[in-house]
Amino acid sequence: MTVFERMQRIDRRVMYVLLVAVIALPMFVPFKLPTAITPEVRGVYDAVESIPKGKLAILSGDWGAGTLAESLPQTEALMRHLFRNNVPFAILPWAPQTTTLMQNTAERLAPEYGKVYGRDWVNWGWKAVPMVAFLKSMAKDIPGTVRQDYRGTPLSELPVMKGVKDIDDIGFVCHITPVGNIMLWVAFIQAVYGTPIAYAPTAVMVAQGYDPLDAKQLVGMLPGLVGGAQYETLLNDPRSGVRWSNSLSLAELLMIFLIVLANIGYFASRRAGGSGR
Amino acid sequence: MASFWGPHTDNPEKTLFILGALVTGALFIFALTFVPRRARKPLIAVVTFIGGLYFSLEFLIAPRSSAEPFLLSKGAFGKKVFELLYAGLDPDQNFLSPYMQGLTNAWQVIAGFTFALGLTNLVHIHGKNILQARKNWGFSVFFFIGVIVMAVIGFFQRFGAGQKSPVWQGLWRIATDGWLFSLDAAMFSLIAFFIISAAYRAFRIRSVEATIMMGAAFLVMLGQVPVGIWLTSWIQPEWGFLYNLRLENISQWILWKPNAAAQRGIEFGIAVGALAMGLRIWLSLERGSYFEKEV
């Protein structure tokens, strides 16, 4: 086997070990890399900054532990911003796992800002109902649609829900998701009521967000883990998003290096008379 | 504290309503089993049509805020129509809107039945695997252990005294943070290994299209992550046009312009397809594996 053929046939176990190494490295040897703040991330930040006093924000999410590395930094950065600005918010989970994951995150962050469940934030809990029906109904009657929080407490008993009747009382929505259902928020809420909607997808879904962003149907977007890292930078509070994006950087560099290596081998072996793979 | 019956334990009337609804629902489902086979498809078609019609009309018919000035300008007849259809409604409601709440609740109940159906199917399949000692029947045992343990812990930590019991709350933490989330995250993280292996083996520049795709992919990938930004961070903003050549700026241009245009085209196509598909399902015209089987 020639060198060029070897370049195309690296054992996958070697690649796996290299991948583990480059992902783990920044966790043991921290280093700082520059972060550029993109307009879509700035848009989310500005929208949170301009939530009118007395209005509730909604953090809608249907992520699970599978996308925790991307969705958690996004969720955490948004919650920190809302807590810091004293903006009350509701967690609107679309999956059972999300109810627990987002609640755990809020409970972990709340003591840092002196916030209390029921007074400063609420978890509406997962409802087994299709998204379209829920959004259409919620827009016109939030207490009637949501009825009770994730623990079964009626919304009327929670101070944070006082005066919240319909979508006019919502000042900002961010949908944190690995799924391509943001257009439901756009079609049934933004387009009808003009509520500011932001999007926090995982990296694989990012491309889909630029169409509604360009059409001004979304106020902004946090693209994957990097979006969370940029948001932390805007908050001047770098945390897991910034740290983990260094691992992502190295993993992407490794992948590009391997692809380039394989292609060099491919062309060189073809030029040398082989067929390449 | 929430009990099994929700927040209304102190309200016996409400509990009676719940029990009554449960019995009525069970009787209704039991009655449905007596519908002749020939009548089942038409029955489903009628219910689907009425459901679809309601949601379409509720979305399309003007709310009171728009209809009021129009109808009141049409004299006595318009006033009569307004009083008949819109009187007492909120400005953003039409005469169909008040039923939305009840239908959404009914939807939740139906969704609950689908979960029960899914669980029944899984129990049936995995139960058979164990009873017949089929290949890999051990995995089916783990299915039952998983379902039973999660259901028991989930139930007791959620209702009654378990809500304040450190034992049940601790067990719930172990079951979710310790098992479920860790397993889910571990399983999903395997994708990284598949991706790196597949990209290395399959991504070859064999054509012009493949070259363009790879070039765009590299630029977008690098332009999104800190290390890519660092690579061209030596290009200064005051360098004028050259500043556009920073990786993050090239990446942003690709995402905001060609990508957005392509996405728009794709979504337009999907929307037209979804509309056609929606019409076919609404009118029960759809044919295929899920629509032609005997019910």
Side-chain angles (χ1 to χ4, degrees):
Chain A
M1 193 187 294
T2 66
V3 175
F4 299 126
E5 282 169 344
R6 274 181 201 279
M7 285 164 76
Q8 297 176 75
R9 290 178 194 181
I10 298 172
D11 190 317
R12 64 171 180 268
R13 284 166 297 189
V14 175
M15 288 190 281
Y16 293 168
V17 170
L18 285 173
L19 184 62
V20 170
V22 297
I23 288 174
L25 184 70
M27 296 178 192
F28 297 105
V29 189
F31 53 90
K32 201 172 180 311
L33 287 169
T35 306
I37 307 298
T38 51
E40 53 269 32
V41 176
R42 170 77 62 183
V44 182
Y45 182 88
D46 290 345
V48 172
E49 284 291 313
S50 54
I51 297 172
K53 201 170 164 54
K55 292 218 175 188
L56 189 78
I58 294 178
L59 293 183
S60 154
D62 57 6
W63 55 278
T67 63
L68 188 138
E70 294 191 85
S71 307
L72 182 65
Q74 294 169 332
T75 305
E76 200 174 310
L78 283 161
M79 281 182 180
R80 282 186 185 282
H81 197 184
L82 293 168
F83 277 147
R84 206 172 74 175
N85 285 14
N86 297 314
V87 177
F89 67 86
I91 294 169
L92 171 53
W94 297 100
Q97 259 198 49
T98 326
T99 312
T100 312
L101 284 166
M102 290 181 83
Q103 181 67 19
N104 289 353
T105 310
E107 279 177 3
R108 183 164 47 81
L109 302 181
E112 288 180 38
Y113 300 88
K115 301 294 176 186
V116 178
Y117 180 78
R119 188 192 71 192
D120 302 301
W121 96 91
V122 59
N123 186 337
W124 286 349
W126 171 66
K127 319 282 179 200
V129 65
M131 202 169 169
V132 174
F134 188 90
L135 292 181
K136 279 167 68 75
S137 181
M138 181 200 80
K140 290 178 178 169
D141 180 8
I142 291 174
T145 307
V146 180
R147 295 196 301 277
Q148 54 193 33
D149 76 347
Y150 80 116
R151 280 284 181 194
T153 311
L155 290 193
S156 55
E157 291 178 15
L158 299 168
V160 68
M161 291 303 295
K162 198 177 169 192
V164 178
K165 286 185 290 189
D166 54 31
I167 200 72
D168 291 338
D169 300 309
I170 304 300
F172 170 79
V173 176
C174 187
H175 188 45
I176 308 155
T177 175
V179 187
N181 51 13
I182 184 63
M183 290 315 283
L184 297 180
W185 275 104
V186 171
F188 293 101
I189 301 295
Q190 192 279 331
V192 183
Y193 305 98
T195 312
I197 310 279
Y199 183 33
T202 46
V204 289
M205 300 307 296
V206 162
Q208 189 202 28
Y210 285 91
D211 171 23
L213 267 174
D214 194 37
K216 307 273 186 276
Q217 291 167 318
L218 295 176
V219 291
M221 178 169 72
L222 303 185
L225 169 61
V226 177
Q230 288 184 36
Y231 209 88
E232 288 174 0
T233 309
L234 273 172
L235 292 173
N236 205 14
D237 191 8
R239 286 174 187 268
S240 56
V242 171
R243 277 203 315 276
W244 296 352
S245 63
N246 286 345
S247 295
L248 184 69
S249 288
L250 295 189
E252 288 196 358
L253 271 188
L254 174 67
M255 188 154 88
I256 290 171
F257 169 74
L258 288 171
I259 292 172
V260 170
L261 192 73
N263 276 282
I264 292 170
Y266 170 70
F267 280 108
S269 58
R270 273 183 60 168
R271 189 161 288 185
S275 59
R277 293 184 76 213
Chain B
M1 189 183 293
S3 77
F4 180 75
W5 298 107
H8 307 294
T9 317
D10 53 337
N11 187 345
E13 201 179 313
K14 206 116 191 176
T15 309
L16 272 178
F17 270 123
I18 294 169
L19 280 171
L22 201 66
V23 172
T24 315
L27 284 175
F28 180 68
I29 290 169
F30 185 64
L32 278 177
T33 60
F34 290 101
V35 175
R37 285 189 183 278
R38 271 188 306 174
R40 288 183 185 182
K41 270 191 177 173
L43 182 70
I44 292 169
V46 168
V47 173
T48 308
F49 181 77
I50 293 171
L53 188 68
Y54 170 81
F55 280 101
S56 311
L57 292 179
E58 199 282 331
F59 187 72
L60 294 171
I61 291 174
R64 180 184 157 167
S65 56
S66 311
E68 190 170 2
F70 173 76
L71 288 173
L72 294 183
S73 69
K74 298 292 170 192
F77 179 72
K79 199 176 169 198
K80 200 92 180 160
V81 173
F82 175 75
E83 280 169 3
L84 189 70
L85 298 178
Y86 287 96
L89 294 176
D90 288 342
D92 62 343
Q93 286 187 323
N94 60 43
F95 56 91
L96 290 173
S97 306
Y99 306 104
M100 179 68 87
Q101 201 52 250
L103 276 171
T104 310
N105 292 347
W107 209 329
Q108 285 197 43
V109 174
I110 294 167
F113 278 105
T114 62
F115 284 111
L117 193 68
L119 192 61
T120 311
N121 277 340
L122 284 169
V123 167
H124 182 73
I125 291 165
H126 289 283
K128 252 185 173 175
N129 284 351
I130 295 169
L131 290 174
Q132 296 175 3
R134 287 176 179 166
K135 195 182 171 193
N136 295 327
W137 62 272
F139 294 134
S140 297
V141 173
F142 274 98
F143 161 77
F144 280 104
I145 293 172
V147 167
I148 293 166
V149 167
M150 288 301 282
V152 169
I153 297 175
F155 186 85
F156 282 102
Q157 66 83 30
R158 173 76 170 76
F159 299 111
Q163 278 195 73
K164 287 189 176 164
S165 154
V167 175
W168 285 112
Q169 293 304 319
L171 282 173
W172 178 243
R173 281 268 172 182
I174 293 170
T176 52
D177 292 1
W179 301 336
L180 180 66
F181 297 163
S182 305
L183 285 169
D184 193 2
M187 198 178 73
F188 207 75
S189 68
L190 293 179
I191 292 174
F193 296 94
F194 283 118
I195 287 175
I196 203 154
S197 174
Y200 168 74
R201 282 166 208 290
F203 224 153
R204 296 285 184 276
I205 306 176
R206 291 197 168 95
S207 63
V208 178
E209 291 89 340
T211 313
I212 294 170
M213 192 174 136
M214 186 183 280
F218 282 1
L219 288 168
V220 171
M221 276 167 65
L222 285 173
Q224 293 286 301
V225 293
V227 77
I229 294 162
W230 171 75
L231 280 174
T232 51
S233 58
W234 48 273
I235 302 177
Q236 300 302 315
E238 53 270 20
W239 291 7
F241 180 78
L242 287 177
Y243 184 63
N244 292 317
L245 298 179
R246 268 200 185 193
L247 273 172
E248 68 268 27
N249 292 338
I250 298 173
S251 163
Q252 283 281 300
W253 181 83
I254 291 171
L255 288 167
W256 279 88
K257 302 299 173 189
N259 166 67
Q263 288 289 334
R264 200 164 289 147
I266 293 167
E267 278 163 21
F268 198 84
I270 292 172
V272 173
L275 190 66
M277 188 70 189
L279 273 173
R280 288 182 68 80
I281 291 175
W282 180 33
L283 301 172
S284 295
L285 297 171
E286 188 59 20
R287 296 288 174 265
S289 51
Y290 291 106
F291 298 90
E292 285 176 341
K293 281 187 180 169
E294 196 174 81
V295 285

